[in-house]
Amino acid sequence: MDLKVKVAGIELQNPIILASGTAGYGVELEPFMDLSKLGGISVKGLYPYPREGNPTPRIWEAPCGIINSIGLQGIGMERFAEEYLPELSKQKTAIFINACGEQDEEYFRVAEFFDPYEEVSAIELNLSCPNVREEGNCPALWPDWSYKIVKWTKQSTRKPIIAKLSPNTSSMVEVASACKEAGADALSLVNTYLAMAVDFRTRRSRLSTLFGGLSGPAIKPLSLRAVYQVASSLDIDVIGIGGITRGEDLLEFLLVGAKAVQIGSITLREPAAAIRILNEAVSLMKKEGYNSFKEITGRLNIV
Amino acid sequence: MKERQGSVEENREIASGYFSLIVSGDFPTSSPGQFAMVSVSDTFEPFLRRPFGIADQGNNWIRFIYKVQGRGTELLSRLKKGEVLSLITPLGKGFFMEKGRVLLVAGGTGIAPLLYLAQNFEEFVLLYGAKTKSALLREEVEKIIGKAHSLIYTTEDGSYGLKGLLTSHIPEEKFSMAYVAGPYKMMKEFSRIYSGEAQFSFEERMGCGFGVCYSCVVRVKREGKEEYVRSCKEGPVFFGKEVVWI
């Protein structure tokens, strides 16, 4: 069976990518699975410099999911390149750098920095973290802001650019369209849904911040709809993210138009979930008589 | 660390709301202070595993002591002998062993990792506090107490042992090390009062338990610089001198 898929001009050995933020710098998951069996890994968001992140508490459980406000704690691009990339690149899987920026030019700096690294397949621009600006604001809520960052970053590297989008806007398709216009090679969606959890006894937020981002199976129907809307409106590769926990979920995302998917929150519960999901999808495909993932992608029947 | 299946050997209420869970299975060896992530539901409700400090481990079995606090531990408490659950163990860095006479300090369920740790010392004083008499796991503690050990119980309401907070009854003698496990507030207060060297085991709210999500961070000062580090990976045990109490 042909498991290969092509997204943003890169050939992946299969459509399973570990999502940024729930896979650390990749190597933390080595004890649990053979990373070389994955289509790719999107590493934890990187700024040009180390970043402290938000105070605790940073996580709260929601029904069938989690709300987080980690705030992009990270070691920064240079330490990642020195301490983790050499080991991670021994794995036969595509490495995606998740680039972040407080200032717009910082996305440019991260993308430019990784341009010479052969082992990096693509740059995923994190335009959509809801936990680092006031009230969940982020570039991916605004077509103009997203356009500017993608356009600029595109000039910093020869590598494909993937814009990671937010579902927390009614103009998601416009934002997606602006990213395409600016030269994005693919889009990944969705990042977390802006959410809250409060404690009526203490009258405080359950998190150190007022808002957090909701992820996990709770959001799957929402993210499936978002992926469908974008993938059916624009001619650009889409990577589907949001609540995928089993093989059938993966196939559903492909059906509504995703070329590949990212596996997020389920990893926290089941570190080797990504491999299980792939195996389940493959046996479902065989059972239904399909020979490649491409035969399903975007083939939703609309009556 | 590995994800392994095991089956419930014992899941017994040892005091009101406190359970002893023994799981049989082939689990890698742990050291005191390390913990396991335990599955509590086959469905996604609740979604995450629960972290528990290892209370004891032997050939083909592992033991935890937990208190029913929410949905996860409530579901766990209903498991019957023979039921299967998944463990990721052992996780984190355990206690650093010191020689000589040591002080063990446990607040509430903090007793669990200290019961495991205590087996390594010939001489110790155990200071163990709870809110009330019914929350003191005296039977568990008295099993491990020998002649060379001494034991101080405290309860907040004075229903057993010394009355008041555990931190008002810290012995004044010198110890080679203090090992402290329990709620953050208690540990913070202990560190304010106690001047000797101490190690603290943290119970931060956790996501994964194996270092990928960065939820469970503790603030430390290393090489003159303050930073958040993961209690699941760099901890859960930290030396008092590096902890920045918030």
Side-chain angles (χ1 to χ4, degrees):
Chain A
M1 207 177 125
D2 178 18
L3 303 186
K4 290 192 193 77
V5 294
K6 206 172 174 192
V7 62
I10 317 155
E11 185 162 272
L12 305 179
Q13 57 187 344
N14 64 62
I16 297 265
I17 303 163
L18 294 179
S20 180
T22 47
Y25 299 112
V27 296
E28 294 91 334
L29 289 167
E30 275 176 359
F32 300 105
M33 64 174 145
D34 181 0
L35 300 177
S36 292
K37 289 194 170 143
L38 297 166
I41 299 175
S42 184
V43 299
K44 189 162 170 54
L46 294 167
Y47 284 84
Y49 42 80
R51 190 180 160 95
E52 184 165 80
N54 292 338
T56 55
R58 290 178 169 185
I59 190 167
W60 184 254
E61 261 179 322
C64 300
I66 47 176
I67 304 175
N68 90 78
S69 179
I70 310 295
L72 293 171
Q73 177 174 345
I75 56 174
M77 62 186 187
E78 282 162 20
R79 271 187 64 194
F80 169 77
E82 274 165 38
E83 295 172 27
Y84 290 93
L85 192 53
E87 174 154 6
L88 187 57
S89 59
K90 287 180 195 154
Q91 305 285 349
K92 292 183 187 67
T93 189
I95 299 170
F96 298 81
I97 295 296
N98 185 275
C100 305
E102 209 166 294
Q103 307 297 321
D104 295 351
E105 51 103 18
E106 290 168 8
Y107 290 96
F108 183 98
R109 281 169 60 196
V110 177
E112 185 183 45
F113 177 83
F114 285 103
D115 185 60
Y117 290 85
E118 287 304 316
E119 56 270 49
V120 171
S121 294
I123 307 293
E124 181 181 56
L125 298 176
N126 186 351
L127 304 177
S128 46
C129 177
N131 298 323
V132 290
R133 292 181 178 85
E134 279 297 297
E135 304 212 333
N137 195 18
C138 61
L141 302 184
W142 312 98
D144 294 353
W145 196 358
S146 298
Y147 179 90
K148 188 180 149 203
I149 294 171
V150 173
K151 180 92 184 167
W152 205 3
T153 313
K154 192 67 193 158
Q155 291 157 30
S156 68
T157 178
R158 298 156 298 163
K159 295 190 192 297
I161 294 285
I162 302 163
K164 185 168 178 179
L165 302 187
S166 168
N168 301 311
T169 165
S170 55
S171 13
M172 198 175 50
V173 176
E174 284 96 312
V175 173
S177 173
C179 290
K180 179 179 186 259
E181 194 90 343
D185 299 277
L187 307 171
S188 53
L189 58 140
V190 297
N191 206 316
T192 55
Y193 281 81
L194 198 59
M196 273 180 104
V198 297
D199 180 350
F200 91 91
R201 292 169 195 86
T202 61
R203 298 195 233 162
R204 287 178 181 279
S205 170
R206 296 283 193 183
L207 299 165
S208 67
T209 50
L210 192 55
F211 298 160
L214 176 65
S215 63
I219 70 163
K220 201 200 94 182
L222 301 168
S223 54
L224 195 65
R225 182 266 303 160
V227 167
Y228 171 76
Q229 279 183 315
V230 171
S232 63
S233 317
L234 299 172
D235 183 22
I236 187 168
D237 289 351
V238 172
I239 301 170
I241 321 168
I244 296 171
T245 63
R246 42 183 204 146
E248 192 155 344
D249 295 338
L250 156 63
L251 299 175
E252 288 170 18
F253 274 83
L254 298 187
L255 184 64
V256 302
K259 292 270 171 27
V261 298
Q262 291 185 5
I263 306 301
S265 305
I266 190 68
T267 302
L268 307 189
R269 170 189 167 109
E270 185 192 342
I275 302 290
R276 173 184 56 76
I277 292 167
L278 176 65
N279 293 337
E280 285 173 359
V282 170
S283 40
L284 271 171
M285 298 266 291
K286 279 185 187 153
K287 203 174 153 201
E288 299 297 327
Y290 290 99
N291 294 311
S292 80
F293 287 114
K294 291 164 204 154
E295 293 170 29
I296 297 173
T297 301
R299 301 294 178 84
L300 182 69
N301 283 319
I302 301 162
V303 185
Chain B
M1 71 180 130
K2 283 274 178 281
E3 184 180 353
R4 294 272 168 89
Q5 305 281 317
S7 71
V8 175
E9 195 59 41
E10 169 190 284
N11 192 20
R12 181 171 56 92
E13 190 161 15
I14 50 175
S16 173
Y18 289 83
F19 284 75
S20 163
L21 172 67
I22 298 173
V23 185
S24 61
D26 178 24
F27 303 114
T29 316
S30 62
S31 67
Q34 288 189 295
F35 67 100
M37 292 301 286
V38 180
S39 64
V40 293
S41 167
D42 292 337
T43 71
F44 294 134
E45 189 49 32
F47 187 69
L48 298 170
R49 289 167 187 261
R50 295 293 182 267
F52 298 115
I54 298 165
D56 204 356
Q57 187 170 2
N59 225 348
N60 289 311
W61 59 271
I62 191 165
R63 184 179 188 220
F64 308 100
I65 292 173
Y66 65 93
K67 184 187 174 193
V68 174
Q69 278 174 314
R71 287 175 294 167
T73 41
E74 206 272 317
L75 281 174
L76 194 63
S77 74
R78 289 192 223 160
L79 284 185
K80 301 264 184 302
K81 187 173 173 171
E83 287 192 80
V84 175
L85 70 182
S86 148
L87 267 58
I88 303 174
T89 186
L91 294 164
K93 292 200 177 87
F95 293 106
F96 178 82
M97 298 296 173
E98 190 58 68
K99 291 193 175 68
R101 190 170 160 82
V102 301
L103 175 64
L104 307 179
V105 182
T109 48
I111 193 66
L114 294 191
L115 289 173
Y116 193 19
L117 176 71
Q119 299 173 12
N120 294 275
F121 299 114
E122 294 186 357
E123 268 188 81
F124 65 78
V125 174
L126 171 61
L127 170 62
Y128 173 30
K131 281 209 166 67
T132 175
K133 185 181 173 183
S134 62
L136 277 176
L137 309 177
R138 278 155 48 216
E139 202 179 304
E140 298 300 324
V141 166
E142 281 152 30
K143 268 189 232 165
I144 60 152
I145 295 287
K147 281 198 184 107
H149 310 143
S150 59
L151 176 57
I152 308 162
Y153 286 119
T154 68
T155 51
E156 286 176 33
D157 62 0
S159 53
Y160 197 85
L162 303 172
K163 186 178 174 171
L165 291 172
L166 162 169
T167 43
S168 350
H169 301 289
I170 302 168
E172 281 184 11
E173 70 173 287
K174 266 246 172 228
F175 296 95
S176 59
M177 181 65 70
Y179 295 91
V180 191
Y184 191 93
K185 265 190 187 164
M186 179 278 279
M187 299 204 296
K188 183 181 178 182
E189 179 64 4
F190 180 89
S191 97
R192 194 185 62 81
I193 299 167
Y194 185 79
S195 56
E197 208 177 354
Q199 292 173 44
F200 295 87
S201 175
F202 283 80
E203 299 176 344
E204 281 299 318
R205 200 184 292 160
M206 255 175 209
C208 61
F210 41 85
V212 300
C213 78
Y214 286 73
S215 296
C216 64
V217 294
V218 168
R219 200 160 179 81
V220 299
K221 192 169 187 173
R222 285 177 178 169
E223 292 158 16
K225 223 179 112 250
E226 281 190 22
E227 58 178 336
Y228 287 121
V229 296
R230 299 163 295 183
S231 62
C232 68
K233 201 85 177 171
E234 284 85 6
V237 176
F238 292 94
F239 277 90
K241 56 183 180 238
E242 63 180 351
V243 175
V244 180
W245 299 95
I246 297 161

